[in-house]
Amino acid sequence: MSDNVSQYILRRLLNDWGVDRIFGYAGDGIIGFLGALDGEPGVDCPEFVQARHEEMAAFMACAHAKFTGEVGVCMATSGPGAIHLLNGLYDAKLDHQPVLAIVGQQARAGLGGNFQQEVDLGALFKDVAHEFVEVCMDPAQARHLVDRGMRIAAAERTVTCLIVPNDVQQLDAVPEPPRTHGTVHSGPGFTPGRRLPTETDLRRAADVLNAGERVAILVGQGALHAAEEVTEVAELLGAGVAKALLGKAVLPDDLPWVTGSIGLLGTKPSWDMMMGADTLLMVGSSFPYSEFLPEEEQARGVQIDIDGKMLSIRYPMEVAMVGDSADTLRALIPLLQRKTDRAWREKIEHEVSEWWTLMEARSQEPAEPLNPQLMFSELSKQLPDRAIISSDSGSAANWYARDVKLRAGMMGSLSGTLATMGPGVPYAIGAKFAHPDRPVFALVGDGAMQMNGLAELITVAKYWRRWADPRFYVMVLNNRDLNQVTWELRAMAGEPRVPTTQDIPDVRYADWAEMIGLKGIRVERPEQVAGAWRDALAADRPVLIEAVTDPEVPPLPPHITVEQAKNFMYSLLGGDPDAKEMIAQSARQKLEEFLPGR
Ligand SMILES: Cc1ncc(C[n+]2csc(CCOP(=O)(O)OP(=O)(O)O)c2C)c(N)n1
Ligand SMILES: [Mg+2]
């Protein structure tokens, strides 16, 4: 018996595009695909991973892309399922991740008839998948729509969408369209090739970098495969390296000249380096906040990015080059002169070492009942080799950015550009399916846990026995608050905390984990922290660690501006209900150390 269209599409993905896994959720809009997914995974079709919600399936597909470099694939039914996908797809699009969404639709005969669940999917996906959103109206289209959906996602590092009406899904496949005028004859496969700037631009870039006396390097996710080259360039130029959030894993945090994260969630050494630099080299990053980069005209700029659209949008660069980061740096290295004066590098190393001492001290500050930083600094000490970490948005992202010390061979990510709440647990699931032998950690706020994580733990409970290695950890910061926004209210708007909008219910997260067959550990006192991580790491099943943390520990930017400090004081004067504790915490955190001018 010949394949139907669904079987054909799934086999094409598996055999010709190497798609091993599809994340999704069922519905009658994809009824043909559901039948086709009944085959043997890896032989007849990719493995199907059932999420709790289509948004989570899209986050998982995005995580698959982030942690493997391959195209992630997700699937949803027509109407509501398709709509649910959107936030996860935007997360992928904004972080430049290749994801193909396969979506069902009502039968062709009913389209345009105001039928149940009929939504204009072309219009719905036209923004998020604007490079490619197509409907398969005829079985002869299936081959090239799969090929183009996959290839465009990979080549443009973006989201594409293939819509298949449910009646088409069950028609006989047409593996090879008839050879007539107007048919399309496509093939699979994509390799990115080599991208290098011109010789002239490389020389111009080298001239700028050689002339500089205080070079600051900023790397982003585009440099994730260029650790060796970045290291060599930094050595030659006597530079320090700051890392944008998505590029946190480019270089380990135990290198003395790596200043760590940059930006609102960044470190003081990154800030100081940028403020003191006379030359900026930016590699594979679109880090958005220009005020954390040197002032215009303070520094001469060189930028390398694979995507010409991303050049010179954060800082007016003198030499802005399109190229692969590793290849371009490799080509640049022979043109660079080793700087003999190492004073700038030594200054950076001194500041980095002071910073880590300060971070350790901060994490030990007492809090009520627990300082969240302690959870992260202790995790850094106990992180197993090859760990993969996902962080949610919220205060956890601050502590992930600043306190987590990644070592060589580890990976980490979060929703960098959309900065959406909710991807922490689904990212970790996507990572674990891609790398079942590696320990995976999700660092998540209680708000994000209530939004998505609690439901997606059910997915963990469903699948963990299939994983070659059960090491999977979710840490929840139970602070009963939408804490990141509470601090934004205080620091940015000068408003006191608003209990009506900021309070969230206290939930027994560890009990929930136990109830669904996972291990739950609740931590309420600082002296329990190290032991809790040890117990978790020794567990025979996935673990949820619930840390009851103090919402009054400020996740403050590395420097806070005078404006923000003023606003902060106004919020205290304005009757913030938690003002007393906040003043105590802030005094302990030595807020004034971070005021500019020190
Ligand atoms: C989908 C979505 N809704 C709202 C926000 C705004 N937001 C950013 S962080 C945050 C608070 C997160 O609270 P929680 O998960 O409890 O983490 P906490 O900051 O308390 O540690 C909110 C509401 C967002 N980024 N994404
Ligand atoms: Mg919270």
Side-chain angles (χ1 to χ4, degrees):
M1 216 175 70
S2 66
D3 282 350
N4 66 24
V5 169
S6 316
Q7 288 163 329
Y8 173 79
I9 289 175
L10 294 175
R11 278 191 213 275
R12 184 95 178 156
L13 287 170
L14 175 75
N15 297 326
D16 299 294
W17 284 97
V19 174
D20 297 327
R21 198 165 303 113
I22 294 179
F23 303 94
Y25 204 81
D28 70 349
I30 46 173
I31 212 83
F33 283 107
L34 303 184
L37 284 161
D38 197 30
E40 190 181 337
V43 177
D44 303 312
C45 55
E47 173 188 24
F48 182 80
V49 175
Q50 180 201 60
R52 294 313 98 207
H53 183 300
E54 293 83 355
E55 180 190 356
M56 308 306 120
F59 282 140
M60 290 174 201
C62 175
H64 180 88
K66 286 185 167 184
F67 293 118
T68 65
E70 300 166 358
V71 178
V73 181
C74 55
M75 183 180 281
T77 189
S78 56
I83 294 165
H84 267 182
L85 282 178
L86 282 178
N87 195 50
L89 294 181
Y90 272 104
D91 175 47
K93 180 190 180 68
L94 268 59
D95 278 355
H96 304 282
Q97 296 305 317
V99 169
L100 169 67
I102 300 174
V103 183
Q105 179 56 299
Q106 292 304 335
R108 288 169 301 172
L111 287 179
N114 192 21
F115 201 71
Q116 188 194 26
Q117 292 190 332
E118 186 190 347
V119 166
D120 183 349
L121 296 180
L124 184 76
F125 286 105
K126 195 58 203 169
D127 182 47
V128 74
H130 70 87
E131 279 89 352
F132 187 82
V133 45
E134 294 294 337
V135 187
C136 184
M137 297 298 280
D138 184 309
Q141 288 176 283
R143 185 174 78 173
H144 68 261
L145 293 187
V146 170
D147 290 347
R148 295 202 70 221
M150 288 294 290
R151 188 177 296 105
I152 291 170
E156 302 289 328
R157 294 178 317 282
T158 195
V159 172
T160 55
C161 178
L162 169 55
I163 299 163
V164 190
N166 62 22
D167 60 322
V168 177
Q169 294 165 23
Q170 298 182 61
L171 297 177
D172 285 347
V174 178
E176 193 180 317
R179 185 174 163 79
T180 56
H181 183 66
T183 55
V184 174
H185 299 262
S186 69
F190 172 76
T191 51
R194 218 172 150 202
R195 293 291 272 297
L196 273 180
T198 62
E199 260 316 296
T200 316
D201 280 344
L202 286 170
R203 282 191 188 285
R204 286 175 55 226
D207 288 345
V208 172
L209 296 170
N210 286 333
E213 291 175 0
R214 299 182 305 281
V215 183
I217 301 180
L218 171 61
V219 294
Q221 62 167 337
L224 279 169
H225 62 297
E228 216 176 286
E229 290 79 5
V230 172
T231 303
E232 205 170 329
V233 168
E235 288 289 348
L236 285 168
L237 298 176
V241 181
K243 304 184 290 186
L245 258 186
L246 289 171
K248 184 171 165 79
V250 171
L251 290 172
D253 287 298
D254 46 16
L255 294 172
W257 40 270
V258 168
T259 61
S261 298
I262 184 171
L264 288 166
L265 279 52
T267 71
K268 192 160 180 289
S270 293
W271 169 263
D272 289 341
M273 176 172 74
M274 289 299 165
M275 294 308 113
D278 67 0
T279 310
L280 171 65
L281 169 59
M282 198 158 144
V283 185
S285 173
S286 62
F287 168 70
Y289 307 136
S290 293
E291 73 270 30
F292 287 86
L293 300 177
E295 261 189 67
E296 281 192 42
E297 292 179 20
Q298 169 194 326
R300 299 175 73 187
V302 173
Q303 186 181 359
I304 302 165
D305 204 289
I306 193 81
D307 184 348
K309 289 197 295 292
M310 307 314 287
L311 293 173
S312 260
I313 55 172
R314 308 299 182 219
Y315 190 82
M317 296 290 171
E318 192 169 327
V319 187
M321 309 183 283
V322 175
D324 169 77
S325 55
D327 291 342
T328 304
L329 292 173
R330 189 77 20 243
L332 203 52
I333 285 167
L335 308 177
L336 298 178
Q337 293 148 8
R338 186 171 195 279
K339 295 204 191 299
T340 46
D341 183 350
R342 310 300 282 184
W344 169 247
R345 161 75 78 112
E346 283 156 18
K347 177 170 171 288
I348 290 169
E349 292 188 356
H350 176 70
E351 281 168 4
V352 168
S353 135
E354 279 202 330
W355 170 258
W356 282 116
T357 310
L358 176 69
M359 291 313 280
E360 180 63 25
R362 280 181 157 200
S363 74
Q364 302 292 337
E365 298 285 0
E368 202 36 61
L370 194 62
N371 184 336
Q373 284 155 293
L374 185 60
M375 294 304 299
F376 291 76
S377 65
E378 190 55 40
L379 171 63
S380 290
K381 289 173 196 154
Q382 297 195 32
L383 263 183
D385 288 344
R386 301 176 73 239
I388 303 178
I389 302 180
S390 79
S391 168
D392 219 289
S393 303
S395 71
N398 292 262
W399 315 129
Y400 163 73
R402 290 200 203 109
D403 296 64
V404 171
K405 249 185 162 164
L406 291 184
R407 302 192 306 273
M410 297 182 174
M411 294 197 272
S413 202
L414 40 54
S415 172
T417 316
L418 188 60
T420 178
M421 277 171 75
V425 177
Y427 265 27
I429 295 172
K432 190 68 182 174
F433 272 99
H435 303 284
D437 59 324
R438 296 178 68 154
V440 176
F441 295 78
L443 312 174
V444 187
D446 47 1
M449 206 59 200
Q450 293 174 18
M451 190 180 267
N452 287 347
L454 285 174
E456 225 44 59
L457 269 193
I458 298 169
T459 306
V460 177
K462 171 172 173 169
Y463 287 110
W464 73 269
R465 284 185 178 80
R466 287 198 201 171
W467 297 334
D469 172 329
R471 290 177 299 167
F472 185 95
Y473 311 95
V474 176
M475 178 175 72
V476 183
L477 298 180
N478 177 354
N479 56 19
R480 288 90 47 218
D481 185 36
L482 299 176
N483 198 237
Q484 179 71 19
V485 177
T486 295
W487 284 100
E488 285 166 353
L489 267 169
R490 287 165 174 164
M492 289 179 174
E495 294 286 345
R497 182 173 180 279
V498 182
T500 320
T501 62
Q502 301 311 105
D503 280 352
I504 56 168
D506 190 357
V507 171
R508 303 289 293 201
Y509 304 92
D511 291 352
W512 166 254
E514 289 278 341
M515 194 181 77
I516 61 172
L518 310 177
K519 186 176 171 70
I521 299 176
R522 190 170 146 104
V523 187
E524 295 171 327
R525 292 193 307 277
E527 60 275 18
Q528 296 171 323
V529 173
W533 276 122
R534 266 195 304 277
D535 291 349
L537 292 168
D540 63 352
R541 64 191 61 203
V543 184
L544 182 144
I545 296 194
E546 174 186 353
V548 182
T549 54
D550 187 347
E552 304 311 328
V553 177
L556 283 174
H559 75 301
I560 64 166
T561 63
V562 175
E563 188 69 16
Q564 285 168 333
K566 252 183 358 207
N567 285 339
F568 177 77
M569 294 318 290
Y570 289 151
S571 86
L572 297 188
L573 298 172
D576 190 312
D578 298 325
K580 229 174 89 207
E581 298 89 283
M582 199 165 80
I583 292 170
Q585 259 307 326
S586 300
R588 288 205 201 97
Q589 295 279 335
K590 300 187 185 67
L591 189 61
E592 65 281 7
E593 281 180 26
F594 296 92
L595 288 170
R598 266 191 52 100

